[in-house]
Amino acid sequence: MASITLKHIDKIYDDGFHAVKDVNLEIEDGEFVILVGPSGSGKSTLLRMVVGLEDITDGELLIGDRRVNEAAPKDRNLAMVFQNYALYPHLTVYENIAFPLRLNKGVKLSDDEIDRKVREAASMLELNDHLERKPGNLSGGQRQRVAMGRAIVREADAFLFDEPLSNLDAKLRGQMRAEISQMQRRLGVTSIYVTHDQTEAMTLGDRVAVLKKGELQQVASPRELYEQP
Ligand code: ADP
Ligand code: ADP
């Protein structure tokens, strides 16, 4: 894992809209930061800039101590977990999780190593009994876990979550929240996690960053933020 540092980050879209304004945030190695804010406040824009899907207009983005403003997404080693899972429907759960390991970037892993990593992740996410199934035959929560398994085997430097639980029913949401929390405790993953759900923020967050109209209004512990008089 690695730290993520945003220094004076600005985003001005081509049409002139100033979506993110002078955002400064240091996320420590292993820290879980929740990002909240009204719709249109710039949360997705910020995540997309961090992952490299959107150009940074101004400012500096560091992963660890490496400046990555101009780095391609694949060179940032971040894992993004979206609410629409983007699994490959024709591949089994096993192959979906193994996929990033088979892409053969740099190091070529043996089938045994791939197998060990896939089973380790599957076991942590309680997917062992579903490895031969296809995504179409899984529940929403199981699909979400496969997506997370794929992010885990990548051994990314940090995780970015964009409302990963928002389209699950209440029961699954609770279950997944507990699982992410457990994963967080076991792996100490550096994360930026966008949510509108206060329970998720309270359960998972080391700190909560509040974005409004593109500006960072407040960064505080969940307790400070939600239990203020
Ligand atoms: P959030 O994720 O908090 O809902 P977004 O980052 O999606 O907010 O959007 C922030 C603002 O930037 C919104 O006003 C949105 O309309 C605007 N925006 C998003 N994408 C573009 C774009 N490609 N061009 C111009 N404006 C955009
Ligand atoms: P390809 O298109 O080369 O078959 P992918 O679509 O899986 O492979 O990924 C291309 C690159 O984009 C990967 O090397 C990876 O670094 C990055 N990438 C893929 N998925 C994600 C993700 N969920 N979050 C962040 N980066 C990703």
Side-chain angles (χ1 to χ4, degrees), residues 13-20 37-46 48 54 162-163 194 196 211:
Y13 280 111
D14 290 343
D15 63 1
F17 186 79
H18 203 157
V20 171
S39 176
S41 57
K43 304 182 296 297
S44 309
T45 303
L46 201 59
R48 291 167 58 81
E54 198 72 72
D162 196 357
E163 301 195 52
V194 171
H196 285 105
L211 203 60

Side-chain angles (χ1 to χ4, degrees), residues 20-52:
V20 171
K21 298 170 186 164
D22 195 28
V23 164
N24 291 285
L25 185 61
E26 279 184 50
I27 301 162
E28 287 171 35
D29 189 342
E31 190 182 22
F32 206 109
V33 168
I34 306 282
L35 183 59
V36 301
S39 176
S41 57
K43 304 182 296 297
S44 309
T45 303
L46 201 59
L47 278 197
R48 291 167 58 81
M49 283 193 287
V50 172
V51 79

Side-chain angles (χ1 to χ4, degrees), residues 51 73-75 77-82 88 99 103 105 154:
V51 79
K74 66 176 171 53
D75 297 325
N77 198 27
L78 303 171
M80 185 123 182
V81 182
F82 296 101
Y88 299 100
F99 191 82
L103 282 179
K105 293 197 190 77
R154 287 163 50 88

Side-chain angles (χ1 to χ4, degrees), residues 35-224:
L35 183 59
V36 301
S39 176
S41 57
K43 304 182 296 297
S44 309
T45 303
L46 201 59
L47 278 197
R48 291 167 58 81
M49 283 193 287
V50 172
V51 79
L53 298 172
E54 198 72 72
D55 286 341
I56 295 168
T57 308
D58 210 357
E60 259 200 328
L61 174 66
L62 309 180
I63 298 176
D65 47 21
R66 191 165 66 101
R67 181 188 149 105
V68 295
N69 283 52
E70 281 82 30
K74 66 176 171 53
D75 297 325
R76 297 188 187 195
N77 198 27
L78 303 171
M80 185 123 182
V81 182
F82 296 101
Q83 51 181 294
N84 44 352
Y85 328 97
L87 300 178
Y88 299 100
H90 57 290
L91 298 181
T92 62
V93 166
Y94 184 100
E95 286 304 329
N96 263 288
I97 296 176
F99 191 82
L101 300 175
R102 295 203 196 283
L103 282 179
N104 183 21
K105 293 197 190 77
V107 233
K108 174 121 175 102
L109 293 176
S110 70
D111 283 346
D112 279 353
E113 283 169 303
I114 291 176
D115 191 66
R116 188 178 56 76
K117 283 174 187 285
V118 170
R119 288 181 191 280
E120 208 172 85
S123 147
M124 180 172 4
L125 296 164
E126 293 179 29
L127 285 168
N128 280 328
D129 296 339
H130 308 291
L131 288 174
E132 297 313 317
R133 296 170 72 185
K134 301 252 171 92
N137 304 324
L138 299 175
S139 71
Q142 289 166 338
R143 269 181 240 161
Q144 184 66 58
R145 278 182 270 160
V146 178
M148 227 173 288
R150 206 158 62 177
I152 288 171
V153 295
R154 287 163 50 88
E155 291 175 6
D157 283 331
F159 278 36
L160 304 174
F161 298 91
D162 196 357
E163 301 195 52
L165 310 186
S166 62
N167 58 1
L168 304 181
D169 66 39
K171 182 162 170 261
L172 268 176
R173 203 156 57 227
Q175 221 170 300
M176 286 301 300
R177 195 173 59 229
E179 275 170 24
I180 295 174
S181 169
Q182 201 180 12
M183 180 182 88
Q184 161 68 351
R185 278 198 300 272
R186 275 199 235 171
L187 302 177
V189 285
T190 308
S191 309
I192 306 178
Y193 186 105
V194 171
T195 183
H196 285 105
D197 186 309
Q198 192 169 313
T199 312
E200 283 171 35
M202 293 285 285
T203 314
L204 300 171
D206 293 316
R207 285 189 298 161
V208 182
V210 184
L211 203 60
K212 255 186 204 145
K213 295 186 175 162
E215 287 183 78
L216 211 50
Q217 300 272 305
Q218 198 179 2
V219 185
S221 74
R223 289 179 127 247
E224 283 170 316

